[in-house]
Amino acid sequence: MNRTDLKDDWPLPNNYLIELGRLSALWGVLESTVDLSINKLACYASVYDYRAAVMLAHANFKQRADILETLLEQTCMEHAELRRYDRVMKLISRSQKGRNKFMHNTLYSNPETGHIEFASMSARGKLRTRTEIIRFEELKVVSAVIHEATCALHSLVTLHNIKPIWDRGD
């Protein structure tokens, strides 16, 4: 077996691996949309001004989301169409929580139960560990929420309505 000829359904079933890849790709689009939205709301002239790039290059997503929310809160006073930003920020927050669940914890196939499970750990004041069965549908829901958040943010900031893929009719 060649080193790059990896087995099917390893280390998880292929459908899980494909959905994790989709989730990751959609997350990248959301991150870029947040960055571009910050750029636009900060009134930089070019599509992606170097000043915004310098400030955001090493900011984590939570910091970027906080910057975005503050810019929206401040600019909605001047632009009434931005007043519905709370709904968009809730979608972004849900997206981040869902993405982090799958990208920062261990997913594995439990040979004893045949289920796909995940293990997580927290050590904030007290050590907590847990395992949970992960249904394939849960991954699809997170992918959908990330896509919805991207479309909603784009629509809010550009005033050009972008519907989620399942509502486009194509």
Side-chain angles (χ1 to χ4, degrees):
M1 175 182 207
N2 185 319
R3 178 174 176 250
T4 58
D5 293 334
L6 302 176
K7 289 180 168 184
D8 268 352
D9 296 313
W10 178 85
L12 296 169
N14 285 347
N15 61 331
Y16 279 77
L17 295 173
I18 290 168
E19 200 57 42
L20 285 165
R22 183 188 336 267
L23 192 153
S24 182
L26 288 167
W27 182 256
V29 174
L30 177 58
E31 281 189 309
S32 294
T33 304
V34 166
D35 288 355
L36 290 168
S37 297
I38 289 169
N39 188 74
K40 183 170 175 57
L41 292 167
C43 297
Y44 291 121
S46 64
V47 172
Y48 196 59
D49 191 278
Y50 72 92
R51 291 167 286 203
V54 167
M55 290 186 285
L56 298 174
H58 299 289
N60 65 42
F61 189 79
K62 177 68 174 124
Q63 291 166 326
R64 293 174 194 199
D66 287 344
I67 292 166
L68 175 64
E69 186 169 19
T70 304
L71 282 168
L72 285 165
E73 183 265 333
Q74 289 295 302
T75 54
C76 78
M77 295 175 211
E78 302 164 25
H79 304 282
E81 61 276 4
L82 297 176
R83 288 196 179 123
R84 55 189 173 88
Y85 75 90
D86 279 342
R87 182 184 78 78
V88 174
M89 292 309 302
K90 284 179 182 155
L91 278 172
I92 290 172
S93 180
R94 260 183 78 202
S95 297
Q96 183 180 19
K97 186 176 180 185
R99 179 252 182 207
N100 287 351
K101 176 179 180 176
F102 294 110
M103 294 297 149
H104 293 291
N105 294 299
T106 303
L107 287 172
Y108 61 94
S109 183
N110 184 330
E112 293 175 14
T113 66
H115 293 122
I116 303 304
E117 297 180 6
F118 101 136
S120 66
M121 187 181 309
S122 173
R124 298 210 164 119
K126 182 180 179 180
L127 181 63
R128 292 181 179 89
T129 61
R130 73 182 183 127
T131 60
E132 176 183 327
I133 294 172
I134 299 298
R135 307 263 183 262
F136 179 66
E137 235 3 81
E138 291 177 68
L139 283 172
K140 290 174 72 173
V141 167
V142 172
S143 291
V145 169
I146 294 169
H147 178 59
E148 278 179 300
T150 301
C151 293
L153 178 58
H154 182 282
S155 297
L156 178 71
V157 173
T158 66
L159 302 180
H160 178 74
N161 189 31
I162 301 291
K163 294 179 181 178
I165 193 114
W166 52 87
D167 287 339
R168 293 181 193 169
D170 35 294

